[in-house]
Amino acid sequence: GRGMRGGARSAPLAELRRRHLGLLAYAVGFFSCLAGTTVLIDNWGPGVLRRLVAPSSSELPHELLLLLSGGDLAGILVSILAVDRIGRRGCFRIGFFLQGTLLAGMAVAPRHPPLLAAIGFVATGCRCFGWEAAQMWCVEAFPTPVRATALALSVTVMRLLSVATLTLSAAAGRNAEPALALLTIGGLLFVGGCFATLLLPRETAGALMAGDG
């Protein structure tokens, strides 16, 4: 009985390795791209924005923090409404390419606080599209017997990469020049966008979930 239970527990891993390794590698890849760039934004972003918007202050203005939180909420709501209309690839384009363009644009935009705050608001909302599409695609692309294991493995790798990114970037973020930091994050988002959109195995929006057809 114990051996049978052990075999049952290991079956999803064996099935993933045998039949869905490419899908798993893709899922791990885009979750890693999202996690790495999100950690950099959350780690470097407050200091970068403070130096751009309120260089004489020791912290971000409370009103700006509220605005960015509002952008996050707006992004969640809009992405939920749009995720099946524009597809997973469309969401990845917004979450990676548009967000990267906005952040890179902040690096060269005039340093007018209202303008930078508006760009930050939209960019914060854009990243919600990437996360929404990533979670939906992972649920839809894998068959039921391996779905939970695939998602758990992807999230585990994502967490490990997040810790590594935070560790490696913490010191650099404290002294990062705002334009260079924003261009770096924007460039990484473009790389992640190329990976997520060009290597997307299949569009799952509107399709039957894997194993249900």
Side-chain angles (χ1 to χ4, degrees):
R2 184 178 300 175
M4 293 178 63
R5 286 195 298 270
R9 282 195 298 267
S10 64
L13 284 173
E15 183 74 2
L16 276 172
R17 186 171 61 251
R18 184 170 63 251
R19 300 184 58 187
H20 308 289
L21 191 58
L23 291 179
L24 180 62
Y26 175 75
V28 168
F30 70 63
F31 269 117
S32 297
C33 293
L34 283 169
T37 52
T38 298
V39 166
L40 287 179
I41 292 170
D42 291 343
N43 187 25
W44 291 359
V48 167
L49 268 180
R50 180 187 59 77
R51 289 194 288 274
L52 288 175
V53 175
S56 61
S57 175
S58 60
E59 58 185 23
L60 274 177
H62 182 66
E63 295 79 6
L64 182 55
L65 288 173
L66 287 176
L67 181 68
L68 296 178
S69 296
D72 194 50
L73 177 60
I76 292 171
L77 295 176
V78 175
S79 66
I80 290 172
L81 295 174
V83 67
D84 284 325
R85 293 178 178 272
I86 62 177
R88 310 301 174 252
R89 182 178 277 109
C91 284
F92 284 140
R93 287 171 178 157
I94 294 174
F96 284 106
F97 293 129
L98 181 54
Q99 184 187 187
T101 299
L102 290 167
L103 293 178
M106 288 181 72
V108 297
R111 296 197 175 186
H112 299 314
L115 173 62
L116 296 174
I119 296 174
F121 175 87
V122 178
T124 301
C126 285
R127 73 173 173 178
C128 300
F129 282 80
W131 284 105
E132 186 73 23
Q135 295 173 81
M136 295 299 294
W137 186 90
C138 202
V139 168
E140 295 163 342
F142 290 96
T144 301
V146 299
R147 186 172 296 139
T149 303
L151 184 57
L153 287 173
S154 300
V155 170
T156 299
V157 174
M158 178 191 75
R159 299 294 185 194
L160 292 173
L161 183 69
S162 296
V163 172
T165 303
L166 182 61
T167 302
L168 294 173
S169 66
R174 284 192 293 268
N175 303 310
E177 199 277 325
L180 179 59
L182 289 167
L183 290 172
T184 298
I185 297 172
L188 291 173
L189 283 166
F190 267 83
V191 172
C194 289
F195 176 90
T197 58
L198 297 179
L199 299 182
L200 181 67
R202 66 186 182 92
E203 176 59 71
T204 58
L208 289 173
M209 293 179 68
D212 291 345

